[in-house]
Coordinates of all heavy atoms in Angstrom, one line a residue:
M199 N 265.9 22.4 68.8 CA 264.7 21.5 69.0 C 263.9 21.4 67.7 O 263.7 22.4 67.1 CB 263.8 22.1 70.1 CG 262.5 21.4 70.3 SD 261.4 22.2 71.4 CE 262.2 21.8 73.0
S200 N 263.5 20.3 67.4 CA 262.8 20.1 66.2 C 261.3 20.6 66.4 O 260.7 20.3 67.4 CB 262.7 18.6 65.8 OG 261.9 18.4 64.7
T201 N 260.8 21.3 65.5 CA 259.5 21.9 65.6 C 258.7 21.3 64.4 O 259.1 21.5 63.3 CB 259.5 23.4 65.6 OG1 260.2 23.8 66.7 CG2 258.1 23.9 65.7
T202 N 257.5 20.7 64.7 CA 256.7 20.2 63.6 C 255.5 21.0 63.5 O 254.6 21.0 64.3 CB 256.3 18.7 64.0 OG1 257.5 18.0 64.2 CG2 255.5 18.1 62.8
F203 N 255.4 21.7 62.3 CA 254.2 22.4 62.0 C 253.4 21.5 61.1 O 253.9 20.8 60.3 CB 254.5 23.8 61.3 CG 255.3 24.7 62.2 CD1 256.6 24.9 62.0 CD2 254.7 25.3 63.3 CE1 257.3 25.8 62.9 CE2 255.4 26.1 64.2 CZ 256.7 26.4 64.0
T204 N 252.1 21.6 61.2 CA 251.2 20.7 60.5 C 250.8 21.2 59.1 O 250.1 20.4 58.4 CB 249.9 20.4 61.3 OG1 249.2 21.6 61.6 CG2 250.3 19.7 62.6
M205 N 251.1 22.4 58.7 CA 250.7 22.9 57.4 C 252.0 23.0 56.5 O 253.1 23.2 57.0 CB 250.0 24.2 57.6 CG 250.9 25.4 58.0 SD 251.7 25.4 59.6 CE 250.3 25.6 60.7
P206 N 251.8 23.0 55.2 CA 252.9 23.2 54.3 C 253.4 24.6 54.5 O 252.6 25.5 54.6 CB 252.3 23.0 52.9 CG 251.0 22.3 53.1 CD 250.5 22.7 54.5
T207 N 254.7 24.7 54.5 CA 255.4 26.1 54.6 C 256.5 26.2 53.6 O 257.2 25.2 53.3 CB 255.9 26.3 56.0 OG1 256.9 25.3 56.3 CG2 254.8 26.2 57.1
S208 N 256.9 27.4 53.3 CA 258.1 27.7 52.6 C 259.2 27.8 53.7 O 258.9 27.9 54.9 CB 258.0 29.0 51.9 OG 257.9 30.1 52.8
P209 N 260.5 27.7 53.3 CA 261.5 27.8 54.3 C 261.4 29.2 55.1 O 261.7 29.2 56.3 CB 262.8 27.7 53.5 CG 262.4 26.9 52.3 CD 261.0 27.3 52.0
E210 N 261.1 30.3 54.4 CA 261.0 31.6 55.0 C 259.9 31.6 56.0 O 260.1 32.1 57.2 CB 260.8 32.6 53.9 CG 260.5 34.0 54.5 CD 260.1 35.0 53.5 OE1 259.6 34.6 52.3 OE2 260.2 36.2 53.8
T211 N 258.8 31.0 55.7 CA 257.6 31.0 56.6 C 257.9 30.1 57.7 O 257.6 30.4 58.9 CB 256.3 30.6 55.8 OG1 256.1 31.5 54.7 CG2 255.1 30.6 56.7
R212 N 258.5 29.0 57.5 CA 258.8 28.0 58.6 C 259.7 28.7 59.6 O 259.6 28.6 60.8 CB 259.5 26.8 58.0 CG 260.0 25.8 59.1 CD 260.4 24.5 58.6 NE 259.2 23.7 58.1 CZ 258.4 23.0 58.8 NH1 258.6 23.0 60.1 NH2 257.4 22.4 58.3
E213 N 260.7 29.5 59.1 CA 261.6 30.2 60.0 C 260.8 31.2 60.9 O 261.0 31.3 62.1 CB 262.7 30.9 59.2 CG 263.7 31.6 60.1 CD 264.8 32.2 59.3 OE1 265.2 31.7 58.2 OE2 265.4 33.3 59.8
L214 N 259.9 31.9 60.2 CA 259.1 32.9 60.9 C 258.2 32.2 61.9 O 258.0 32.7 63.1 CB 258.2 33.7 59.9 CG 257.2 34.7 60.6 CD1 258.0 35.7 61.4 CD2 256.4 35.4 59.5
L215 N 257.6 31.1 61.6 CA 256.8 30.3 62.6 C 257.6 29.9 63.8 O 257.1 30.0 64.9 CB 256.1 29.1 61.9 CG 255.2 29.3 60.8 CD1 254.6 28.0 60.3 CD2 254.1 30.3 61.1
G216 N 258.8 29.5 63.6 CA 259.7 29.2 64.7 C 259.9 30.5 65.6 O 259.9 30.4 66.8
S217 N 260.1 31.6 64.9 CA 260.3 32.9 65.7 C 259.0 33.3 66.4 O 259.1 33.8 67.5 CB 260.7 34.0 64.7 OG 262.0 33.7 64.2
I218 N 257.9 33.0 65.8 CA 256.6 33.3 66.5 C 256.5 32.4 67.8 O 256.1 32.9 68.8 CB 255.4 33.0 65.6 CG1 255.4 34.0 64.4 CG2 254.1 33.1 66.3 CD1 254.4 33.6 63.3
A219 N 256.8 31.2 67.6 CA 256.8 30.3 68.8 C 257.8 30.8 69.9 O 257.4 30.8 71.1 CB 257.2 28.8 68.4
D220 N 259.0 31.2 69.5 CA 259.9 31.7 70.5 C 259.4 32.9 71.2 O 259.5 33.1 72.4 CB 261.2 32.1 69.8 CG 262.0 30.9 69.2 OD1 261.8 29.8 69.7 OD2 262.9 31.1 68.4
E221 N 258.7 33.8 70.4 CA 258.1 35.0 71.0 C 257.0 34.7 72.0 O 257.0 35.3 73.0 CB 257.6 35.9 69.8 CG 257.0 37.2 70.3 CD 258.0 38.3 70.7 OE1 259.2 38.1 70.4 OE2 257.6 39.3 71.2
M222 N 256.2 33.7 71.6 CA 255.1 33.4 72.5 C 255.7 32.8 73.8 O 255.2 33.1 74.9 CB 254.2 32.4 71.8 CG 253.4 33.0 70.7 SD 252.5 31.8 69.7 CE 251.1 31.6 70.8
V223 N 256.7 32.0 73.7 CA 257.3 31.4 74.9 C 257.9 32.5 75.8 O 257.6 32.6 77.0 CB 258.4 30.4 74.6 CG1 259.3 30.0 75.8 CG2 257.8 29.2 73.9
S224 N 258.6 33.5 75.2 CA 259.3 34.5 76.0 C 258.3 35.6 76.5 O 258.4 36.0 77.6 CB 260.4 35.2 75.3 OG 259.9 35.9 74.2
E225 N 257.3 35.9 75.7 CA 256.3 37.0 76.0 C 255.2 36.5 77.0 O 254.8 37.2 77.9 CB 255.7 37.5 74.8 CG 254.9 38.8 74.9 CD 255.8 40.0 75.3 OE1 256.9 40.1 74.8 OE2 255.3 40.8 76.1
F226 N 254.8 35.3 76.8 CA 253.6 34.8 77.6 C 253.9 33.7 78.6 O 253.0 33.3 79.3 CB 252.5 34.3 76.6 CG 252.2 35.3 75.5 CD1 252.2 35.0 74.2 CD2 251.9 36.7 75.8 CE1 251.9 35.9 73.2 CE2 251.6 37.6 74.8 CZ 251.7 37.2 73.5
G227 N 255.1 33.2 78.6 CA 255.5 32.2 79.5 C 254.9 30.8 79.3 O 254.7 30.1 80.3
I228 N 254.5 30.5 78.1 CA 253.9 29.2 77.8 C 255.1 28.3 77.3 O 256.2 28.8 77.0 CB 252.8 29.3 76.8 CG1 253.3 29.9 75.4 CG2 251.7 30.2 77.3 CD1 252.2 29.9 74.3
T229 N 254.8 27.0 77.2 CA 255.8 26.1 76.7 C 255.9 26.2 75.2 O 254.9 26.7 74.5 CB 255.4 24.6 77.1 OG1 254.2 24.3 76.4 CG2 255.3 24.4 78.6
R230 N 257.0 25.7 74.7 CA 257.1 25.7 73.2 C 256.1 24.8 72.6 O 255.5 25.1 71.5 CB 258.5 25.3 72.8 CG 258.7 25.4 71.3 CD 260.2 25.4 70.9 NE 260.3 25.6 69.5 CZ 260.4 26.7 68.9 NH1 260.3 27.9 69.6 NH2 260.5 26.8 67.6
A231 N 255.8 23.7 73.3 CA 254.8 22.8 72.8 C 253.4 23.5 72.6 O 252.7 23.3 71.6 CB 254.6 21.6 73.7
E232 N 253.0 24.3 73.6 CA 251.8 25.0 73.5 C 251.8 26.1 72.4 O 250.9 26.2 71.6 CB 251.4 25.7 74.8 CG 250.1 26.5 74.7 CD 249.6 27.2 76.0 OE1 250.1 26.8 77.1 OE2 248.8 28.1 75.9
A233 N 253.0 26.8 72.3 CA 253.1 27.8 71.2 C 252.9 27.1 69.9 O 252.2 27.7 69.0 CB 254.4 28.5 71.4
V234 N 253.6 26.0 69.6 CA 253.5 25.3 68.3 C 252.1 24.8 68.1 O 251.5 25.0 67.0 CB 254.5 24.2 68.2 CG1 254.3 23.3 67.0 CG2 255.9 24.8 68.2
A235 N 251.4 24.3 69.1 CA 250.0 23.9 69.0 C 249.1 25.0 68.6 O 248.2 24.9 67.8 CB 249.6 23.2 70.3
R236 N 249.3 26.2 69.3 CA 248.5 27.3 68.9 C 248.7 27.8 67.5 O 247.8 28.1 66.8 CB 248.8 28.5 69.9 CG 248.2 28.3 71.3 CD 248.7 29.4 72.2 NE 248.1 29.4 73.5 CZ 246.9 29.9 73.8 NH1 246.2 30.6 72.9 NH2 246.5 29.8 75.0
I237 N 250.0 27.8 67.0 CA 250.3 28.1 65.6 C 249.7 27.1 64.7 O 249.0 27.5 63.7 CB 251.8 28.2 65.4 CG1 252.4 29.4 66.2 CG2 252.2 28.2 64.0 CD1 253.9 29.3 66.3
N238 N 249.8 25.8 65.0 CA 249.2 24.8 64.1 C 247.7 25.0 64.1 O 247.1 24.8 63.0 CB 249.5 23.4 64.7 CG 250.9 23.0 64.4 OD1 251.6 23.5 63.4 ND2 251.5 22.1 65.2
A239 N 247.0 25.3 65.2 CA 245.6 25.5 65.2 C 245.2 26.7 64.4 O 244.2 26.7 63.7 CB 245.1 25.5 66.6
H240 N 246.0 27.8 64.6 CA 245.7 29.0 63.9 C 245.7 28.9 62.4 O 244.8 29.5 61.7 CB 246.7 30.1 64.4 CG 246.3 31.5 63.9 ND1 245.4 32.3 64.4 CD2 246.9 32.2 62.8 CE1 245.3 33.4 63.8 NE2 246.2 33.4 62.8
W241 N 246.6 28.2 61.8 CA 246.7 28.1 60.4 C 246.4 26.7 59.9 O 246.7 26.3 58.8 CB 248.1 28.5 59.9 CG 248.3 30.0 59.9 CD1 247.6 30.8 59.1 CD2 249.2 30.7 60.6 NE1 248.0 32.1 59.3 CE2 249.1 32.1 60.3 CE3 250.2 30.4 61.6 CZ2 249.8 33.1 60.8 CZ3 251.0 31.5 62.1 CH2 250.8 32.8 61.7
H242 N 245.6 26.0 60.7 CA 245.1 24.6 60.3 C 244.5 24.6 58.9 O 243.6 25.5 58.6 CB 244.1 24.1 61.3 CG 243.6 22.8 60.9 ND1 244.3 21.6 61.0 CD2 242.3 22.4 60.5 CE1 243.5 20.6 60.6 NE2 242.3 21.1 60.3
G243 N 244.9 23.7 58.1 CA 244.3 23.5 56.8 C 244.7 24.6 55.7 O 244.2 24.5 54.6
Q244 N 245.6 25.4 56.1 CA 246.1 26.4 55.1 C 247.5 26.0 54.5 O 248.3 25.4 55.2 CB 246.2 27.8 55.8 CG 244.8 28.3 56.2 CD 244.9 29.7 56.8 OE1 245.6 30.5 56.2 NE2 244.2 29.9 57.9
D245 N 247.7 26.5 53.3 CA 249.0 26.2 52.7 C 249.9 27.5 52.8 O 249.5 28.5 52.2 CB 248.8 25.8 51.2 CG 250.1 25.5 50.5 OD1 251.2 25.8 51.0 OD2 250.0 24.9 49.4
L246 N 250.9 27.4 53.6 CA 251.8 28.6 53.8 C 253.1 28.5 53.0 O 254.0 29.2 53.3 CB 252.1 28.8 55.3 CG 250.9 28.9 56.2 CD1 251.4 29.1 57.7 CD2 249.9 29.9 55.8
S247 N 253.1 27.7 52.0 CA 254.3 27.4 51.2 C 254.3 28.3 50.0 O 255.4 28.4 49.3 CB 254.4 26.0 50.8 OG 253.3 25.6 49.9
D248 N 253.3 29.0 49.6 CA 253.2 29.8 48.4 C 254.0 31.1 48.6 O 254.0 31.7 49.7 CB 251.7 30.1 48.1 CG 251.6 30.8 46.8 OD1 251.8 32.0 46.7 OD2 251.2 30.1 45.8
E249 N 254.7 31.5 47.6 CA 255.4 32.8 47.7 C 254.6 34.0 47.9 O 255.0 35.0 48.3 CB 256.3 33.0 46.4 CG 255.5 33.2 45.1 CD 256.4 33.3 43.9 OE1 257.4 32.6 43.8 OE2 256.1 34.2 43.1
D250 N 253.3 33.9 47.7 CA 252.3 35.0 47.9 C 251.7 34.9 49.3 O 250.8 35.7 49.6 CB 251.2 35.0 46.9 CG 251.7 35.3 45.5 OD1 252.7 36.1 45.4 OD2 251.2 34.7 44.5
C251 N 252.2 34.0 50.1 CA 251.7 33.9 51.5 C 251.9 35.2 52.2 O 252.9 35.8 52.2 CB 252.5 32.8 52.2 SG 252.1 32.6 53.9
L252 N 250.8 35.6 52.9 CA 250.8 36.9 53.6 C 251.5 36.8 55.0 O 251.7 37.9 55.6 CB 249.4 37.4 53.7 CG 248.7 37.8 52.4 CD1 247.3 38.2 52.7 CD2 249.5 38.8 51.7
V253 N 251.7 35.6 55.5 CA 252.2 35.5 56.9 C 253.5 36.3 57.1 O 253.7 37.1 58.1 CB 252.4 34.0 57.3 CG1 253.1 33.9 58.6 CG2 251.1 33.3 57.3
P254 N 254.5 36.3 56.2 CA 255.8 37.0 56.4 C 255.6 38.6 56.3 O 256.6 39.3 56.5 CB 256.7 36.5 55.3 CG 256.1 35.2 54.9 CD 254.7 35.3 55.1
H255 N 254.4 39.0 56.0 CA 254.2 40.5 55.9 C 254.1 41.1 57.2 O 254.0 42.4 57.3 CB 253.0 40.8 55.0 CG 253.3 40.4 53.5 ND1 253.8 41.3 52.6 CD2 253.1 39.3 52.9 CE1 253.9 40.7 51.5 NE2 253.5 39.5 51.6
E256 N 254.0 40.3 58.3 CA 254.0 40.8 59.6 C 255.1 40.2 60.4 O 255.5 39.1 60.0 CB 252.6 40.5 60.3 CG 251.4 41.2 59.7 CD 251.4 42.7 59.9 OE1 252.2 43.3 60.7 OE2 250.6 43.4 59.2
D257 N 255.5 40.8 61.5 CA 256.6 40.2 62.3 C 256.1 39.2 63.4 O 254.9 39.0 63.6 CB 257.5 41.3 62.9 CG 256.8 42.1 64.0 OD1 255.7 41.7 64.4 OD2 257.4 43.1 64.4
E258 N 257.1 38.5 64.0 CA 256.7 37.5 65.0 C 255.9 38.0 66.2 O 255.0 37.4 66.7 CB 257.9 36.7 65.5 CG 259.0 37.6 66.2 CD 260.0 38.2 65.2 OE1 259.9 38.0 64.0 OE2 261.0 38.8 65.8
R259 N 256.2 39.3 66.6 CA 255.4 39.9 67.7 C 253.9 40.0 67.3 O 253.1 39.7 68.1 CB 256.0 41.2 68.1 CG 255.4 41.8 69.4 CD 256.2 43.0 69.9 NE 255.7 43.4 71.2 CZ 254.6 44.1 71.4 NH1 253.9 44.5 70.4 NH2 254.3 44.4 72.6
F260 N 253.7 40.5 66.2 CA 252.3 40.7 65.7 C 251.6 39.4 65.8 O 250.5 39.3 66.4 CB 252.3 41.3 64.3 CG 250.9 41.3 63.7 CD1 250.1 42.3 63.9 CD2 250.5 40.2 62.9 CE1 248.8 42.3 63.3 CE2 249.2 40.2 62.3 CZ 248.3 41.3 62.5
W261 N 252.1 38.3 65.1 CA 251.5 37.0 65.1 C 251.3 36.4 66.4 O 250.3 35.8 66.7 CB 252.2 36.1 64.1 CG 251.9 36.5 62.6 CD1 252.9 36.9 61.7 CD2 250.7 36.6 62.0 NE1 252.3 37.2 60.5 CE2 250.9 37.0 60.7 CE3 249.4 36.3 62.4 CZ2 249.9 37.2 59.7 CZ3 248.3 36.5 61.4 CH2 248.6 36.9 60.1
A262 N 252.4 36.5 67.3 CA 252.3 36.0 68.6 C 251.1 36.5 69.4 O 250.3 35.8 70.0 CB 253.6 36.2 69.4
F263 N 250.9 37.8 69.3 CA 249.8 38.4 70.0 C 248.5 38.1 69.4 O 247.5 37.8 70.1 CB 250.0 40.0 70.1 CG 250.8 40.4 71.2 CD1 252.2 40.2 71.2 CD2 250.3 41.1 72.3 CE1 253.0 40.6 72.2 CE2 251.1 41.5 73.3 CZ 252.4 41.3 73.3
V264 N 248.4 38.0 68.1 CA 247.1 37.7 67.4 C 246.7 36.2 67.7 O 245.6 35.9 68.0 CB 247.2 37.9 65.9 CG1 246.1 37.3 65.2 CG2 247.2 39.4 65.6
I265 N 247.7 35.3 67.7 CA 247.4 33.9 68.0 C 247.1 33.7 69.4 O 246.2 33.0 69.8 CB 248.6 33.1 67.5 CG1 248.7 33.1 66.0 CG2 248.4 31.6 68.0 CD1 250.0 32.5 65.5
Y266 N 247.8 34.4 70.3 CA 247.5 34.2 71.8 C 246.3 34.9 72.3 O 245.5 34.3 73.1 CB 248.8 34.7 72.6 CG 248.8 34.2 74.0 CD1 249.0 32.9 74.3 CD2 248.6 35.1 75.0 CE1 249.0 32.5 75.7 CE2 248.6 34.7 76.3 CZ 248.8 33.4 76.7 OH 248.8 33.0 78.0
Y267 N 246.1 36.1 71.9 CA 244.9 36.9 72.4 C 243.8 37.0 71.4 O 242.7 37.5 71.8 CB 245.4 38.3 72.8 CG 246.2 38.4 74.0 CD1 247.6 38.8 73.9 CD2 245.7 38.0 75.2 CE1 248.4 38.8 75.1 CE2 246.5 38.1 76.4 CZ 247.8 38.5 76.3 OH 248.6 38.5 77.4
G268 N 243.9 36.6 70.2 CA 242.8 36.8 69.2 C 243.1 38.0 68.4 O 244.0 38.8 68.6
R269 N 242.2 38.3 67.5 CA 242.4 39.3 66.5 C 242.3 40.7 67.1 O 242.7 41.7 66.5 CB 241.3 39.2 65.4 CG 241.6 38.0 64.5 CD 242.2 38.5 63.2 NE 242.6 37.4 62.4 CZ 243.7 37.3 61.7 NH1 244.6 38.3 61.8 NH2 244.0 36.3 61.0
N270 N 241.6 40.9 68.2 CA 241.4 42.2 68.8 C 242.4 42.6 69.9 O 242.0 42.7 71.1 CB 239.9 42.4 69.3 CG 239.0 42.2 68.1 OD1 239.1 42.8 67.1 ND2 237.9 41.4 68.4
V271 N 243.6 42.7 69.5 CA 244.6 43.1 70.5 C 244.4 44.6 70.9 O 244.5 45.4 70.0 CB 246.1 42.9 70.0 CG1 247.1 43.4 70.9 CG2 246.3 41.4 69.6
P272 N 244.1 44.9 72.2 CA 243.7 46.2 72.5 C 244.8 47.3 72.6 O 244.6 48.5 72.4 CB 243.1 46.1 73.9 CG 243.5 44.7 74.4 CD 243.9 43.9 73.2
D273 N 246.1 46.8 72.7 CA 247.1 47.8 72.8 C 248.4 47.1 72.4 O 248.8 46.1 73.0 CB 247.3 48.3 74.3 CG 248.3 49.4 74.5 OD1 249.1 49.7 73.5 OD2 248.3 50.0 75.5
W274 N 249.1 47.7 71.3 CA 250.3 47.1 70.8 C 251.5 47.6 71.4 O 252.6 47.1 71.1 CB 250.3 47.3 69.3 CG 249.3 46.5 68.6 CD1 248.1 46.9 68.2 CD2 249.4 45.1 68.2 NE1 247.4 45.9 67.6 CE2 248.2 44.8 67.6 CE3 250.4 44.2 68.4 CZ2 248.0 43.5 67.1 CZ3 250.2 42.9 67.9 CH2 249.0 42.5 67.3
S275 N 251.5 48.6 72.3 CA 252.7 49.1 72.9 C 253.4 48.1 73.8 O 252.7 47.3 74.5 CB 252.4 50.4 73.7 OG 251.5 50.2 74.7
P276 N 254.7 48.1 73.8 CA 255.5 47.1 74.6 C 255.1 47.1 76.1 O 255.2 46.1 76.7 CB 256.9 47.4 74.3 CG 256.9 48.1 73.0 CD 255.6 48.9 73.0
G277 N 254.8 48.3 76.6 CA 254.6 48.4 78.1 C 253.1 48.3 78.5 O 252.7 48.6 79.6
A278 N 252.3 47.8 77.5 CA 250.8 47.8 77.8 C 250.5 46.9 79.0 O 251.1 45.9 79.2 CB 250.1 47.2 76.6
D279 N 249.5 47.3 79.8 CA 249.1 46.5 81.0 C 248.2 45.5 80.4 O 247.0 45.7 80.1 CB 248.3 47.4 82.0 CG 247.8 46.7 83.1 OD1 248.1 45.5 83.3 OD2 247.0 47.3 83.9
R280 N 248.6 44.2 80.4 CA 247.9 43.1 79.9 C 247.2 42.3 81.0 O 246.7 41.2 80.8 CB 248.8 42.2 79.1 CG 249.3 42.9 77.8 CD 250.0 41.9 76.9 NE 251.1 41.2 77.5 CZ 252.4 41.4 77.3 NH1 252.7 42.3 76.5 NH2 253.3 40.6 77.9
S281 N 247.2 42.8 82.2 CA 246.7 42.1 83.4 C 245.2 41.7 83.2 O 244.8 40.7 83.7 CB 246.9 42.8 84.7 OG 246.3 44.1 84.7
G282 N 244.5 42.5 82.5 CA 243.1 42.1 82.3 C 242.7 41.4 81.0 O 241.6 41.1 80.7
W283 N 243.7 41.2 80.2 CA 243.5 40.6 78.9 C 243.3 39.0 79.1 O 244.0 38.4 80.0 CB 244.7 40.8 78.0 CG 245.0 42.2 77.6 CD1 244.5 43.3 78.2 CD2 245.9 42.6 76.6 NE1 245.0 44.4 77.6 CE2 245.9 44.0 76.6 CE3 246.7 42.0 75.7 CZ2 246.7 44.8 75.8 CZ3 247.5 42.7 74.8 CH2 247.5 44.1 74.9
V284 N 242.5 38.5 78.3 CA 242.2 37.0 78.4 C 242.7 36.3 77.1 O 242.2 36.6 76.1 CB 240.7 36.8 78.6 CG1 240.4 35.3 78.7 CG2 240.2 37.5 79.8
P285 N 243.7 35.4 77.3 CA 244.1 34.7 76.1 C 243.1 33.8 75.6 O 242.2 33.3 76.3 CB 245.4 33.9 76.6 CG 245.2 33.9 78.1 CD 244.4 35.0 78.5
T286 N 243.2 33.4 74.3 CA 242.3 32.4 73.7 C 242.7 31.1 74.3 O 243.7 30.9 74.9 CB 242.5 32.3 72.2 OG1 243.8 32.0 71.9 CG2 242.1 33.7 71.5
E287 N 241.7 30.2 74.3 CA 242.0 28.8 74.8 C 243.0 28.1 73.9 O 242.9 28.2 72.7 CB 240.7 28.0 74.8 CG 239.7 28.4 75.9 CD 240.2 28.2 77.3 OE1 240.8 27.1 77.5 OE2 240.0 29.0 78.2
P288 N 243.9 27.4 74.5 CA 244.8 26.6 73.7 C 244.1 25.4 73.1 O 243.0 25.1 73.5 CB 245.9 26.1 74.7 CG 245.2 26.1 76.0 CD 244.2 27.2 75.9
P289 N 244.6 24.8 72.0 CA 244.0 23.6 71.4 C 243.8 22.5 72.5 O 244.6 22.5 73.5 CB 245.0 23.2 70.4 CG 245.8 24.4 70.0 CD 245.9 25.2 71.3
A290 N 242.9 21.7 72.3 CA 242.6 20.6 73.3 C 243.8 19.7 73.4 O 244.5 19.4 72.4 CB 241.4 19.8 72.8
A291 N 244.1 19.3 74.6 CA 245.3 18.4 74.8 C 245.1 17.1 74.1 O 244.0 16.6 74.0 CB 245.4 18.1 76.3
G292 N 246.1 16.7 73.5 CA 246.1 15.4 72.7 C 245.6 15.6 71.3 O 245.5 14.6 70.6
S293 N 245.2 16.8 70.9 CA 244.7 17.0 69.5 C 245.8 17.0 68.6 O 247.0 17.0 68.9 CB 243.9 18.4 69.4 OG 244.9 19.4 69.5
E294 N 245.5 16.9 67.3 CA 246.5 16.8 66.2 C 247.5 18.0 66.2 O 248.5 18.0 65.6 CB 245.8 16.8 64.9 CG 245.0 18.0 64.6 CD 244.1 17.9 63.4 OE1 244.6 17.9 62.2 OE2 242.9 17.8 63.7
Y295 N 247.1 19.1 66.9 CA 248.0 20.3 66.8 C 249.2 20.2 67.7 O 250.2 20.9 67.6 CB 247.1 21.5 67.3 CG 245.9 21.7 66.5 CD1 244.6 21.7 67.1 CD2 245.9 21.9 65.1 CE1 243.5 21.8 66.3 CE2 244.8 22.0 64.3 CZ 243.6 21.9 64.9 OH 242.4 22.1 64.2
W296 N 249.1 19.3 68.7 CA 250.2 19.2 69.7 C 251.3 18.2 69.1 O 251.2 17.0 69.2 CB 249.7 18.7 71.0 CG 248.9 19.7 71.7 CD1 247.6 20.0 71.5 CD2 249.3 20.6 72.7 NE1 247.2 21.0 72.3 CE2 248.2 21.4 73.1 CE3 250.6 20.8 73.4 CZ2 248.3 22.4 74.1 CZ3 250.7 21.7 74.4 CH2 249.5 22.5 74.7
T297 N 252.3 18.8 68.4 CA 253.3 18.0 67.7 C 254.7 18.1 68.4 O 255.6 17.4 67.9 CB 253.4 18.5 66.3 OG1 253.8 19.9 66.3 CG2 252.1 18.3 65.5
V298 N 254.8 18.8 69.5 CA 256.0 19.0 70.2 C 255.8 18.5 71.6 O 254.8 18.9 72.2 CB 256.5 20.4 70.2 CG1 257.8 20.6 71.1 CG2 256.8 20.9 68.8
R299 N 256.7 17.7 72.2 CA 256.5 17.3 73.5 C 257.0 18.3 74.5 O 257.9 19.1 74.2 CB 257.3 16.0 73.8 CG 256.7 14.8 73.1 CD 257.5 13.6 73.4 NE 257.1 12.5 72.5 CZ 256.8 11.3 72.9 NH1 256.9 11.0 74.2 NH2 256.4 10.4 72.0
G300 N 256.4 18.4 75.7 CA 256.9 19.3 76.7 C 256.1 20.5 76.8 O 255.9 21.5 76.9

């Protein structure tokens, strides 16, 4: 499936963004369209194509949780009880961040 990110990326970062989207879909049960929209909104206006880009310094699980729940992830353990956690709001429907259908 073609994924359209709205910010400039290096090939390495683009691959990681795709993995972040995959992680969000599998971990949180959201659509790929929503995952990509959240990623686009999170890094809106930033240039991720530079070799000094910090995005690849963390893995897809880290970014998936930060983008979905916000910066204050209360528990990073795989078995954490997330039943009381509240995800951040997805970008507004129809906004420029929604670049994937479905």
Side-chain angles (χ1 to χ4, degrees):
M199 170 185 294
S200 176
T201 300
T202 304
F203 297 108
T204 58
M205 72 295 291
T207 63
S208 67
E210 175 187 19
T211 302
R212 176 169 289 281
E213 183 177 329
L214 177 60
L215 296 181
S217 295
I218 294 167
D220 292 343
E221 182 75 12
M222 293 173 78
V223 168
S224 67
E225 191 68 38
F226 310 127
I228 62 175
T229 64
R230 184 160 186 88
E232 180 180 338
V234 170
R236 285 174 175 274
I237 290 167
N238 285 335
H240 186 78
W241 281 300
H242 175 72
Q244 296 184 43
D245 184 345
L246 306 182
S247 65
D248 189 282
E249 65 183 41
D250 294 326
C251 174
L252 294 176
V253 174
H255 293 269
E256 296 291 350
D257 67 9
E258 61 270 6
R259 186 171 190 281
F260 172 86
W261 287 118
F263 275 71
V264 166
I265 293 168
Y266 192 72
Y267 287 114
R269 290 257 176 221
N270 298 315
V271 175
D273 186 348
W274 288 97
S275 60
D279 177 9
R280 296 190 303 254
S281 60
W283 299 13
V284 178
T286 59
E287 288 292 320
S293 70
E294 65 192 284
Y295 306 119
W296 291 81
T297 59
V298 174
R299 291 182 189 229

